[in-house]
Amino acid sequence: MLFRPGALVAATMLFGLPASAEEIVRISGWGGSEVAIVNGLLTNVLAEKLAEEGIRVKYEPVDGDYSQFIINGLSAGTAPDLFYVDTFWARSVFSAGQAAPVTNDVSGFAANLLTAFTYDGKLYSIPKDFNTLAIHFNKDIFDDAGVGYPSDDDTWTTLQEKLVAVNKSLPEVDGLCVVPEYARFGAFALSTGWSPFDARGKTVLDKRFRRAFDFYTGLVKSGAAVMAADAGHSWTGGCLASERAAVAIEGAWILSALRDSAPNMNLGTVRMPKDPESSKRGNIVFSVGWTVNAASKVSKAAAKVAELLTTEEAQQWVLEQGLALPSRTSLVPVHKRLFFRVLEVFCSLKRSFFARRDGTGLAGCDRRAIWRR
């Protein structure tokens, strides 16, 4: 679930039947560490089922600006038959009539995630998984610096103090690696109780937002952080893997990346720090859904592929790779209440960013519905 600058991955993978297959379905997702996982899913888990359905999958990962690739492809008529849609730009695709409504049985999915991909009362994507942010850190760097590890008890202030202390002890290492984007800063702003929009749908830039903005943008000046670009990296995980920074704020997708680039790292992970004034944490839920191209000539086969890619068996396999959390409620671990507490946060964001002013598109975000699941 990570975007990085680059180009379309040249390699194209075929899975399923031999070349004489009756139907070929082109699918696309992002590149990076996810490519190996999707390849493994298609070959190790789904190959026989795809063959039984008479479907051959042509996998075309994109290592670059994925949303632009899809939007341009939809306009030009070259988009794949099945592709990811991110919650942050889903509505632009749905409202343009470029996605086919989902007809599969989705009763096993968390209703709150389905909400993100619902437009005008219709579901247009099947959520494949979801992710949230956490503090990932290199324990060895903190040990070498003689600084206590980040913890679940940290506030913005105590975490910042630890980051500054790391840099003072080890000048060649920055405490935190940051990027100038809402997908990271937003978690801090939300912990203050800030709401992105008011009742009239206008942007809110109040004192709570400014306080979070000043904190986040001041991390570099305080000596607690370095900009990823200034450290020669396109994302914060690169800083952590290269030991340029002791901490990165990322989702579970960082685990598979570190497994490849820093397999021996002594890694620790804790929750996001609390706002010292509100004593609350903020977070952002990331989710993408498999979406059938409305113009696809093999839409039924594409819908079948989407169904297979999101079965319980498929999601269990992805979960074991450490990439993301499952969207199927049957795979929710023992900590079920924590799982749906995260989804409650998502619904709050949904109300702010995706809901119409008349409240439509929020099915499944009723508090009672969340806990019934």
Side-chain angles (χ1 to χ4, degrees), residues 210-273:
R210 292 190 181 94
R211 181 163 60 82
F213 184 82
D214 289 343
F215 170 77
Y216 189 80
T217 58
L219 286 169
V220 173
K221 186 177 181 180
S222 72
V226 63
M227 295 288 290
D230 292 339
H233 294 280
S234 60
W235 70 303
T236 70
C239 299
L240 184 63
S242 66
E243 299 189 350
R244 172 61 195 271
V247 173
I249 299 175
E250 294 288 344
W253 55 78
I254 196 175
L255 302 179
S256 58
L258 292 177
R259 187 182 301 136
D260 295 333
S261 57
N264 298 318
M265 180 178 292
N266 189 7
L267 185 69
T269 300
V270 296
R271 290 186 287 176
M272 294 291 289

Side-chain angles (χ1 to χ4, degrees), residues 146-162:
V147 177
Y149 296 153
S151 75
D152 287 342
D153 296 325
D154 274 330
T155 65
W156 300 357
T157 304
T158 59
L159 178 61
Q160 183 178 24
E161 290 171 350
K162 292 175 182 178

